[in-house]
Amino acid sequence: MKKILLALLLALAQANAFSAAPGEGRAAPDFTASRLDGQPGKPFALKDLRGKVVYLDFWASWCPPCRASFPVLDKMYSERKGQGLEVIGVNKDQEPAEAAKFLAEYPVSFPLLADRKDTLVTLFHVKAMPSAYIIDRKGTIRFAHLGFNRDTEAQIEAEVAQLLEEKP
Amino acid sequence: MRFIVKLVLAAGLAALSACTSVQPWERGYLAKPEMALDSDPAEAKLMQHLYSSKEAASGGYGVGGGGCGCN
Amino acid sequence: MLDALLKAAIALPICTLPAKAGQLETANGGIKYLNYAEGDGRIDVNSPLLWFQGPLAQNYDIALSATLDSVSGASPQYVSNQSGKPVHTLSGASIIENRRAADVKVTRYLGNMSLGATASVSSEHDYLSRGAGIDMRFDFNNKLTTLALGSGVTSDDVGSSIDRSLHEQRLSHDFLIGITQIINPLSLVQSNLSFSEGQGYYNDPYKFTLFFFPGSPAPVLHRDIRPDRRRQTAWLTRYRRFFPAWESALAVDYRYYADDWGVRAHTLDFSWSKNFGHGWKLRPGLRYYSQRQADFYGTVFSSSSGVGSSDERLGSFGALAPSLKVSKELSADTSLDVAVGYYRQEAKYKAGGGGSSDLAPFSARYLMLGLNRQF
């Protein structure tokens, strides 16, 4: 019985290795994507935002922490847009109607993208919902976040402020 | 009993390695309330109490629940 | 090692598991009202239940519920075979009994692990039950698999309003091990194995069997006497599958039950939950139950003092219970539901035949109303 428990703990310790934040320090892969249904604008290209700090967020309507994050992200976006912050939300709903329903409840002003073919999640090695990548003005992923709660909220604010200070 | 515990553990660990991976963003349907194992815990509690007052079987859902006289 | 594990497990609510796996984001509460009535008007039960669950602090959740059952009617106390066929005799006076029950559960989330502690109490004028339990859940394999371990203890005090001198006790311990596995983006399965071992007083102080030995003119009165020990095993497997094209979810639960009294039981529960849009949901369900009797079940005993019980619940029978539930989301945070169900127990419903011929068919119906609110 003891052996089994030990094996189990080892398995759990290994499982924990998954939660390491992916991508920090790497150059953000360039990508183009179409807008989420009903969203204005031409097809999106990440390289058009070079020189800005980009908060790239992967979200879905069914994910409760995403719900908690939206008002926070929208506030941060409207406050710091002038300083050079861009917030981009990549929707991962399987049913587009559910994303629309969610947005009616939690309206945001930042741009939203679709990722029907899982190109972006694969490119960014998304490991959890929500996942966020904070990209500096030079296009490097400086911070990555898995999940969202009150602690991450304060952390994100500080990290975004720090990156906005840096000159391109 | 010990054998059964081992069997369940073995089956579980086998399931770990054999199953196909479900990506984090593919769990929208699984997150629907009707897909929850206990989609209505209050209802489940009342129904289990009713059934256990009319039938001999009980158990399987949790531990440390209060019993009843049920006479 | 464990320390490193806990440190590595940063507390983040990452939603990669079905609802309720991680810490609650919002508080929920509601009321359920159950009315249950037996076919012949013998028993009528009204139970309101209040429940609440929500975040208590960072990484802590709390769940509470409280019920008040009010039972009116009379329980059969005597079983007699005088007429050749056993008949139940009601105790005569109509009774009104209340049962109060409450439970509380606190859960702590530690990254890929959670720890829960439960306490429960249930009290009737002649019965008091107290329970406590702890459980642990570990998420691993990228949160596709969850292992649950639990252990609990229940202590019961049994009294009797017809025998004021009766003060008996029962103590039971239970253990549970379970695995939940996400199979694919549309389905998941859970399998729980639970064991319970109890010691103490299991008799029903209100039950007597009046019987005639064949050829004997004088009746014999037999009290309900059961073994003072019971070991129970339940193996519950639950399957959920979503069908996007039909906006529907299928739920199938199967439980095998065995105890050392000789009871073997199968429970099979199906339900189909369909979303109709605009917040309407319909859930038809069908439950089938079948049990084999306890070794000491009977209506005629070889002596008046040996182990034996004529309690219908220990006989051989089957039961069918169709139900229908309708729910409606009134707004983003309020929903209402109504469920109706019918329950019929008959000896001939037993799987494979061989139901107790002395059991009278029994039926009941229930109505449940629920109001759920998110705060």
Side-chain angles (χ1 to χ4, degrees):
Chain A
M1 199 66 201
K2 257 188 192 155
K3 265 187 202 161
I4 295 176
L5 279 176
L6 194 68
L8 218 60
L9 282 173
L10 276 170
L12 291 172
Q14 266 181 338
N16 264 297
F18 276 107
S19 49
E24 285 183 1
R26 274 194 336 177
D30 258 326
F31 66 85
T32 55
S34 53
R35 309 271 169 175
L36 188 62
D37 292 352
Q39 293 287 318
K42 58 181 177 37
F44 175 91
L46 184 65
K47 65 173 190 300
D48 294 350
L49 299 182
R50 199 54 49 81
K52 288 185 170 186
V53 172
V54 180
Y55 185 100
L56 183 68
D57 183 55
F58 291 86
W59 66 280
S61 67
W62 46 265
C63 150
C66 302
R67 213 165 300 161
S69 77
F70 259 45
V72 174
L73 296 182
D74 197 46
K75 187 163 161 277
M76 186 171 76
Y77 176 64
S78 50
E79 281 172 5
R80 298 188 180 270
K81 198 179 165 186
Q83 302 166 37
L85 174 71
E86 274 298 330
V87 176
I88 309 290
V90 182
N91 177 251
K92 288 310 298 172
D93 269 289
Q94 285 142 308
E95 292 177 18
E98 298 203 338
K101 199 176 144 199
F102 176 90
L103 289 170
E105 215 179 315
Y106 302 92
V108 291
S109 51
F110 54 80
L112 298 167
L113 308 179
D115 184 30
R116 296 277 143 63
K117 293 191 174 128
D118 299 338
T119 321
L120 303 192
V121 280
T122 313
L123 216 50
F124 281 84
H125 306 285
V126 170
K127 287 274 181 283
M129 295 294 285
S131 275
Y133 301 87
I134 311 179
I135 303 164
D136 69 12
R137 295 185 192 266
K138 289 178 184 140
T140 307
I141 301 174
R142 294 284 291 278
F143 304 102
H145 291 277
L146 300 162
F148 185 89
N149 65 15
R150 247 171 262 148
D151 288 350
T152 25
E153 188 180 326
Q155 220 178 332
I156 285 166
E157 288 276 359
E159 290 164 357
V160 164
Q162 181 201 327
L163 296 191
L164 284 171
E165 296 274 302
E166 296 177 3
K167 291 287 154 255
Chain B
M1 154 158 173
R2 188 158 282 198
F3 172 75
I4 299 175
V5 172
K6 279 184 185 168
L7 199 74
V8 169
L9 277 177
L13 291 173
L16 287 189
S17 46
C19 71
T20 56
S21 182
V22 177
Q23 300 298 343
W25 57 87
E26 294 178 324
R27 301 182 196 191
Y29 294 123
L30 298 168
K32 285 183 178 276
E34 56 272 33
M35 286 292 282
L37 290 162
D38 279 311
S39 59
D40 189 342
E43 177 186 37
K45 197 168 283 181
L46 288 167
M47 291 315 294
Q48 275 168 39
H49 180 65
L50 267 189
Y51 291 133
S52 66
S53 72
K54 294 291 157 195
E55 300 167 348
S58 63
Y61 294 92
V63 291
C68 68
C70 302
N71 294 319
Chain C
M1 162 96 188
L2 192 66
D3 191 46
L5 203 73
L6 295 183
K7 271 189 197 143
I10 334 148
L12 277 175
I14 297 174
C15 58
T16 43
L17 264 179
K20 299 202 185 97
Q23 192 186 6
L24 295 166
E25 298 294 316
T26 52
N28 298 283
I31 182 164
K32 277 272 181 223
Y33 181 84
L34 169 75
N35 173 260
Y36 164 88
E38 296 190 354
D40 50 9
R42 216 162 69 184
I43 299 269
D44 191 56
V45 182
N46 287 292
S47 317
L49 182 147
L50 279 167
W51 63 275
F52 172 84
Q53 57 182 32
L56 186 66
Q58 180 82 358
N59 300 324
Y60 283 92
D61 270 357
I62 189 165
L64 302 157
S65 86
T67 327
L68 175 70
D69 282 355
S70 133
V71 182
S72 62
S75 280
Q77 289 191 338
Y78 298 96
V79 172
S80 163
N81 69 341
Q82 189 168 17
S83 60
K85 226 180 142 51
V87 289
H88 297 289
T89 310
L90 299 185
S91 63
S94 156
I95 48 160
I96 293 182
E97 275 179 16
N98 290 324
R99 180 181 79 100
R100 275 179 279 268
D103 55 70
V104 56
K105 178 168 186 173
V106 175
T107 307
R108 172 155 198 210
Y109 297 88
L110 296 153
N112 288 338
M113 181 186 165
S114 73
L115 286 169
T118 315
S120 62
V121 62
S122 170
S123 135
E124 291 157 69
H125 74 283
D126 54 356
Y127 202 95
L128 178 67
S129 173
R130 283 149 301 186
I134 49 162
D135 62 76
M136 282 183 278
R137 293 165 57 106
F138 302 94
D139 295 328
F140 47 104
N141 188 22
N142 247 347
K143 297 213 170 195
L144 291 170
T145 311
T146 304
L147 170 75
L149 298 170
S151 175
V153 58
T154 308
S155 164
D156 293 353
D157 293 342
V158 187
S160 165
S161 54
I162 54 169
D163 176 4
R164 298 275 171 198
S165 65
L166 185 83
H167 296 288
E168 295 285 354
Q169 288 195 318
R170 182 159 83 215
L171 186 68
S172 48
H173 294 271
D174 49 337
F175 305 94
L176 180 138
I177 178 166
I179 280 184
T180 308
Q181 176 68 46
I182 292 179
I183 303 167
N184 59 39
L186 295 171
S187 59
L188 65 116
V189 68
Q190 180 183 62
S191 201
N192 288 346
L193 194 58
S194 76
F195 303 95
S196 163
E197 180 160 19
Q199 198 117 33
Y201 189 82
Y202 280 99
N203 305 352
D204 184 337
Y206 299 97
K207 220 142 238 163
F208 299 92
T209 312
L210 190 67
F211 67 94
F212 290 79
F213 281 122
S216 147
V220 179
L221 190 68
H222 185 276
R223 300 173 72 92
D224 184 271
I225 304 173
R226 307 180 191 190
D228 58 5
R229 194 177 126 115
R230 192 176 191 184
R231 286 173 137 179
Q232 298 164 286
T233 303
W235 183 13
L236 170 72
T237 302
R238 303 198 265 187
Y239 176 72
R240 300 286 178 272
R241 187 184 167 88
F242 196 79
F243 296 90
W246 294 319
E247 272 296 322
S248 297
L250 169 73
V252 183
D253 292 5
Y254 169 74
R255 180 179 66 184
Y256 174 73
Y257 169 91
D259 65 26
D260 62 353
W261 288 1
V263 177
R264 300 287 180 270
H266 304 272
T267 313
L268 194 55
D269 205 338
F270 291 96
S271 73
W272 181 263
S273 185
K274 176 156 172 63
N275 294 324
F276 281 96
H278 304 288
W280 287 97
K281 219 181 270 183
L282 202 62
R283 192 200 65 191
L286 182 65
R287 179 182 184 272
Y288 173 70
Y289 175 84
S290 174
Q291 85 176 37
R292 187 185 89 185
Q293 68 183 52
D295 300 330
F296 53 86
Y297 170 81
T299 47
V300 177
F301 306 107
S302 52
S303 82
S304 62
S305 59
V307 166
S309 173
S310 62
D311 187 344
E312 319 70 328
R313 281 171 292 181
L314 297 173
S316 289
F317 61 81
L320 271 173
S323 65
L324 185 67
K325 182 179 177 184
V326 184
S327 16
K328 165 78 175 136
E329 268 175 39
L330 299 177
S331 68
D333 48 22
T334 309
S335 71
L336 269 177
D337 53 72
V338 181
V340 288
Y342 175 76
Y343 179 84
R344 183 156 181 93
Q345 204 177 79
E346 281 206 38
K348 69 174 185 213
Y349 288 172
K350 182 184 175 291
S356 309
S357 55
D358 44 30
L359 278 184
F362 157 83
S363 62
R365 55 129 196 96
Y366 66 85
L367 171 74
M368 214 185 297
L369 301 172
L371 172 69
N372 313 293
R373 183 148 173 88
Q374 207 176 79
F375 301 105

